[in-house]
Amino acid sequence: MGKETMRAIKKDMLPVFKDVHLADINRSMLLTELDKVVARGARVMANHLFSSLRQFYNYAAAREWVEANPLAGLSKDKIGGREQTRERHLSQNEIIELKNALPQANLLHTTERAIWIMLATCCRVGELSKAKWQDVNFDQEKWLIPAGNSKNAKDHTIYLSDFAKQQFQDLKSLTGVSDWCFPSRDGNNYICLKSISKQIRDRTREAPLSNRTKATETLILSGGPWTPHDLRRTSATLMGELGVMGEVIERCLNHMEQNKLKRIYQRHEFKSEQFDAWSRLGDRLALLLSTDGNENITVGQFHKSA
């Protein structure tokens, strides 16, 4: 069960049902609480909660803790609705637009660095927010994302391109006195995991929220609003355009191989191929940031030699 789902269970379910016997909890009671999650706009989280609860009740029914699963026969369509796969990614022209828009966005300088690091490393915003300087090795040009910070609970090593390394070095000049790459205000922990996303969201909305930045719309690009996770999709797309094999891109994204047999028997880690992929990505980003948007950028096509 994911950390976010466990947090949601503690927040939305346990306070309501902590004093209710498991066998006395019925479908109507569960759906009432799930509806409350949907009502506050968290449809995806409602679906995650539903899936986890249904799995738990299948386990409980198998052990006769309850007579039957009260959520049996229901699907996500009846809870938060069918989830659409998000496909937004930034085009190369939009990356140039982003560079030109940042001076007007009034972002924290650390957040500007975060944007380029996410693009250059394919990392998740939460992984970057929790990064420590002890895991960034400039001499070896590596950044280790510890298992405790990664989504699949496995260590992930990112080979830093010259571009990514420069972004981290610029960041260290801002936050290097702390143990954390993105420290909280008191410096004793990492920033709120929603901080970077909120800053970007505030600048891709049409109207300002109360007591928040007035620099709204400054980061809306020609393709529309975007999120930090769209940067990860952008990085993967760019790698593909630059001739990187899909399997290597999956390793750079730290995705777990879905085929169990391949996980067991194919142990090649594609380390040199990943190094090359991040280098190509970094070189492309450096090229894009060196232009003013008037030049034509040609996507190179690379082929593996026989």
Side-chain angles (χ1 to χ4, degrees), residues 32-248:
T32 295
E33 300 311 313
L34 289 171
D35 286 344
K36 291 179 182 178
V37 178
V38 173
R40 68 169 188 256
R43 290 181 173 274
V44 174
M45 181 52 68
N47 282 341
H48 290 335
L49 270 171
F50 166 71
S51 295
S52 296
L53 289 169
R54 184 174 58 183
Q55 183 179 2
F56 165 74
Y57 272 107
N58 282 336
Y59 181 90
R63 281 151 184 78
E64 297 185 344
W65 298 346
V66 295
E67 291 187 5
N69 184 343
L71 298 176
L74 291 176
S75 65
K76 291 180 180 179
D77 290 355
K78 305 297 183 182
I79 308 300
R82 186 176 296 276
E83 298 171 20
Q84 295 183 346
T85 301
R86 186 170 172 86
E87 298 179 351
R88 175 76 166 107
H89 69 276
L90 277 59
S91 68
Q92 296 191 48
N93 283 335
E94 285 186 294
I95 293 174
I96 299 172
E97 287 179 34
L98 175 59
K99 177 205 70 171
N100 293 332
L102 282 175
Q104 291 77 46
N106 196 29
L107 282 171
L108 294 175
H109 293 309
T110 52
T111 302
E112 291 188 17
R113 300 281 72 76
I115 288 172
W116 301 123
I117 291 172
M118 286 187 284
L119 271 172
T121 64
C122 310
C123 72
R124 297 176 175 88
V125 63
E127 294 168 341
L128 183 58
S129 298
K130 293 187 283 187
K132 280 189 169 184
W133 285 117
Q134 68 183 27
D135 294 322
V136 181
N137 190 316
F138 290 112
D139 292 332
Q140 296 182 12
E141 299 181 330
K142 294 179 180 179
W143 169 31
L144 171 67
I145 299 177
N149 291 356
S150 69
K151 186 175 181 179
N152 65 3
K154 293 183 180 296
D155 287 345
H156 180 47
T157 297
I158 290 175
Y159 301 99
L160 299 177
S161 64
D162 290 342
F163 178 86
K165 181 178 176 181
Q166 184 62 58
Q167 301 306 315
F168 267 115
Q169 288 174 330
D170 291 347
L171 178 64
K172 191 160 189 180
S173 70
L174 299 172
T175 68
V177 295
S178 172
D179 292 337
W180 306 93
C181 297
F182 293 88
S184 58
R185 289 187 178 181
D186 62 12
N188 295 325
N189 208 329
Y190 52 80
I191 59 172
C192 169
L193 295 181
K194 297 181 179 180
S195 176
I196 293 173
S197 296
K198 283 183 176 180
Q199 291 178 60
I200 293 172
R201 177 69 183 95
D202 282 346
R203 289 156 178 82
T204 56
R205 67 172 77 249
E206 295 182 355
L209 298 180
S210 177
N211 299 320
R212 301 275 274 273
T213 182
K214 304 300 182 184
T216 53
E217 299 185 297
T218 52
L219 292 184
I220 296 179
L221 305 176
S222 57
W226 53 278
T227 70
H229 197 73
D230 295 333
L231 299 180
R232 179 171 159 86
R233 192 178 297 106
T234 299
S235 303
T237 302
L238 259 179
M239 281 185 173
E241 291 174 347
L242 294 169
V244 179
M245 295 189 306
E247 191 161 3
V248 176

